[in-house]
Amino acid sequence: MDILGMLPSFGGFVGSAVAFIIALSVIVAIHEYGHYIVGRWCGIHAEVFSLGFGPVLYSRVDKRGTRWQLAALPFGGYVKFLGDSDAASGKDGDAISGLSDTERKRTMHGADLWRRAATVAAGPVFNFILSIFVFAGIFLFSGTTTDEAVIGQLKPLPGPVDMFEPGDRILRVGDSDITNLEDFYVAAREAEAAEIMSYDVERDGQFLSFDSVYPFPPVIDQLQPKSAAMDGGLEVGDVIQSVNGNPVFALSQVQDAAQANKDSPLELLVWRNGEVLEKTLTPRQRDLPTADGFETRWLIGFSGGAFFEPTRETLGAGDALWGGVRQTWFIAKSSLSGMWHMVTGAISSCNIQGPIGIAQTSGDMASQGPTQFIWFIAVLSTAVGLLNLFPIPVLDGGHLVFHAFEAVSGRPPSDKALNALMMGGLFLLLSLMVFALTNDFFCS
C-alpha cells in the first residue's frame, strides 16, 4: 500500500501532520542511532533509546541492557547513557559517585575524551550520511539527463506538440542552431516569447521542419511548498494559458507578470487534461539563493522546463554518491548563507520556519509523490544535522565546545558553570522556537 500517496486524501491538516511525523521520526531515529551505535563502539553504555517523549507506548530491553522504547509524543527522541541525569546528557553526580572506576568508564562523563566527542558528533554526522545516501539513491534511480538535445518523452500540452516524436534530435530552434542540450536551453532563454516557434529535427535519418510550441511553455513541473500555487489548487502538469486576460506562451511571461504585479491578485486560465479552469492567485515574496547570495522576488511558486523530458542515462554508484555529497554540501552552504543574510537584515527573518511551517511543507511535498517527500526528508536531515552543530549548550555543538575546552585546559567545565550554560542554552533554544512559531502565524 502506498501510504504517502494516501496523504492528500486525509485533508490538509491531518495529511501535513502525518507527513511531518513520518519525516521527523526518520530523521530523529537516524540521529539518535548515530549517538547510540558510536557510543556502543566506544564502550559507553546506553540505558534508554527513546523515539518520542512522554508516556511509553512500547518498550523492550535487549541483551545489552538497553531499553528501546516508543513514546506517545512523536516530536523528537533521545539516548540516555549511563550516568546521565536526563535526555540532554546532564550529569547525575550521585549515580556516578556510586560506580566503580571500570563502570565509570562506561558513562558519558567518565569515558575518555575522544570517545565522548565521537559519540556526540555521531548524531549530526549520521544526519549528513542519511542525506547523502538518500540523494545518491534518487540520482541512481532516476539517472541524469544526457547532453544531447534528443526528446525522451513529450509532456501533455494543449499546443501542437504531436509534431514531435520521442527520439527526435532537435537541430534548430528559430534562428539558432542546436548541437547539444545546453544550446537548446540557451536558445530557449534568448528566444522572444511567441505562440509558435519553428524547429528543424532529425528523425530516423530524415530531416524535418515544422512549427510547434515555445521551447519553455508555462507548464508546471513542480510545485513549491507553502506557495500561492500550492494553496491555490494548481497541480503538476497544469498549463497556464493567460494571466489577467493576456495570453501567455512562455514560462518567463508568467514569472514577469508575478514580479510586476507583486502582491496584487492574478487571474489565471489554466489548462488541465483538456479542461480550462479559472484560478486567482496572489504572488508571494520569497528570498531565492543565487551565486552571489540571495535575490528577493515575487513568485506564484512553481518551476517548469522544456516541452519535453530529455533522454536520460544511468549513473554509476560512485557518480551517484558524489552527487549526494555535493547536494548535501549545497544545502548546508545555502542554509548557512541564508542564516547570515537574515542576521544582517539582507533577507526577511520569515525564512525561519517553526513546527507548523515545517509540517505544512512536509504535507505539500508528500502530496507531490514519494520521490519529492523522500527528497524533502534528506533536505530536512541536513538542516537538523547542521542545527545540532551550532555551539549552543544543550545541542550537540555545545557539548563539543565543552569537550574542546576540556582538551585545551585539561579539565572539564565545573558543574556549576556547566549547569548555568545549559540553562542559558535552553533559554536561547526555546526563544528561537517561539520566534519560529510566531513566524508560522504571521509570515505568509
Side-chain angles (χ1 to χ4, degrees):
M1 179 180 293
D2 183 3
I3 297 176
L4 299 181
M6 295 173 58
L7 290 178
S9 66
F10 282 112
F13 175 76
V14 175
S16 294
V18 172
F20 178 55
I21 290 172
I22 292 173
L24 188 63
S25 297
V26 170
I27 292 168
V28 168
I30 294 297
H31 180 96
E32 297 302 334
Y33 186 76
H35 289 314
Y36 162 78
I37 193 63
V38 172
R40 198 181 89 185
W41 292 340
C42 291
I44 301 174
H45 175 62
E47 292 186 317
V48 179
F49 184 109
S50 180
L51 189 59
F53 296 96
V56 177
L57 303 177
Y58 168 80
S59 70
R60 71 174 183 85
V61 178
D62 65 17
K63 62 182 181 181
R64 293 183 176 85
T66 300
R67 179 178 297 278
W68 298 77
Q69 65 184 38
L70 181 66
L73 302 177
F75 303 114
Y78 62 91
V79 176
K80 182 178 179 295
F81 291 101
L82 180 65
D84 290 348
S85 61
D86 50 41
S89 289
K91 184 178 180 180
D92 187 344
D94 293 338
I96 292 176
S97 64
L99 299 176
S100 65
D101 291 342
T102 300
E103 291 173 326
R104 196 173 291 115
K105 289 289 186 181
R106 300 177 66 224
T107 71
M108 270 295 287
H109 307 276
D112 295 337
L113 179 59
W114 72 267
R115 299 178 191 272
R116 286 180 275 142
T119 301
V120 169
V125 169
F126 268 53
N127 280 132
F128 297 138
I129 291 174
L130 171 64
S131 299
I132 290 170
F133 276 92
V134 167
F135 290 136
I138 292 174
F139 294 149
L140 196 63
F141 175 77
S142 62
T144 185
T145 57
T146 66
D147 60 358
E148 299 179 330
V150 176
I151 295 175
Q153 182 178 352
L154 291 166
K155 298 176 183 177
L157 298 172
V161 292
D162 55 354
M163 311 287 286
F164 291 95
E165 292 182 4
D168 285 354
R169 181 182 299 275
I170 300 175
L171 303 177
R172 176 181 285 269
V173 175
D175 297 327
S176 301
D177 291 328
I178 308 299
T179 59
N180 53 43
L181 193 60
E182 180 62 27
D183 287 346
F184 174 83
Y185 289 148
V186 171
R189 286 193 295 266
E190 295 179 348
E192 184 177 351
E195 184 175 4
I196 295 296
M197 293 285 293
S198 61
Y199 294 86
D200 292 344
V201 303
E202 179 187 357
R203 179 184 301 164
D204 299 328
Q206 295 183 327
F207 296 92
L208 307 173
S209 298
F210 46 77
D211 295 333
S212 189
V213 297
Y214 185 79
F216 277 13
V219 58
I220 297 177
D221 286 347
Q222 182 177 338
L223 294 164
Q224 305 302 320
K226 296 186 64 181
S227 64
M230 177 69 75
D231 294 343
L234 294 184
E235 298 179 2
V236 172
D238 285 353
V239 181
I240 298 176
Q241 294 188 307
S242 72
V243 179
N244 290 340
N246 301 311
V248 292
F249 316 107
L251 177 64
S252 59
Q253 290 177 298
V254 181
Q255 295 170 331
D256 292 343
Q259 186 67 16
N261 280 264
K262 299 189 184 301
D263 56 352
S264 299
L266 297 176
E267 302 292 334
L268 308 180
L269 282 184
V270 179
W271 180 91
R272 179 183 297 167
N273 299 324
E275 182 181 2
V276 177
L277 310 173
E278 295 182 0
K279 298 287 185 179
T280 300
L281 304 178
T282 301
R284 297 176 184 175
Q285 195 171 8
R286 292 291 183 262
D287 298 308
L288 304 177
T290 66
D292 301 321
F294 280 81
E295 176 186 21
T296 301
R297 297 191 62 189
W298 291 89
L299 304 171
I300 292 177
F302 71 88
S303 58
F307 64 88
F308 65 93
E309 297 289 349
T311 54
R312 305 186 71 85
E313 60 183 1
T314 57
L315 280 176
D319 290 335
L321 187 61
W322 178 237
V325 171
R326 289 189 299 174
Q327 185 65 36
T328 302
W329 170 248
F330 171 77
I331 293 169
K333 184 174 66 172
S334 298
S335 298
L336 290 173
S337 176
M339 292 174 191
W340 172 250
H341 281 77
M342 280 186 281
V343 169
T344 59
I347 62 175
S348 172
S349 60
C350 284
N351 286 282
I352 297 178
Q353 294 187 53
I356 296 176
I358 297 174
Q360 184 179 344
T361 301
S362 302
D364 287 349
M365 296 301 288
S367 69
Q368 299 185 61
T371 301
Q372 295 295 334
F373 183 58
I374 293 171
W375 182 278
F376 170 72
I377 290 177
V379 172
L380 190 58
S381 182
T382 301
V384 169
L386 189 64
L387 176 64
N388 270 278
L389 286 178
F390 281 16
I392 300 175
V394 178
L395 297 180
D396 295 329
H399 288 286
L400 290 174
V401 170
F402 298 152
H403 294 331
F405 172 83
E406 183 177 349
V408 172
S409 66
R411 57 181 177 80
S414 67
D415 290 345
K416 184 177 180 180
L418 197 60
N419 290 334
L421 289 170
M422 293 288 280
M423 290 300 296
L426 183 60
F427 175 78
L428 180 62
L429 196 61
L430 290 175
S431 299
L432 180 61
M433 292 176 63
V434 170
F435 178 77
L437 188 60
T438 302
N439 281 352
D440 290 341
F441 289 102
F442 296 104
C443 293
S444 61

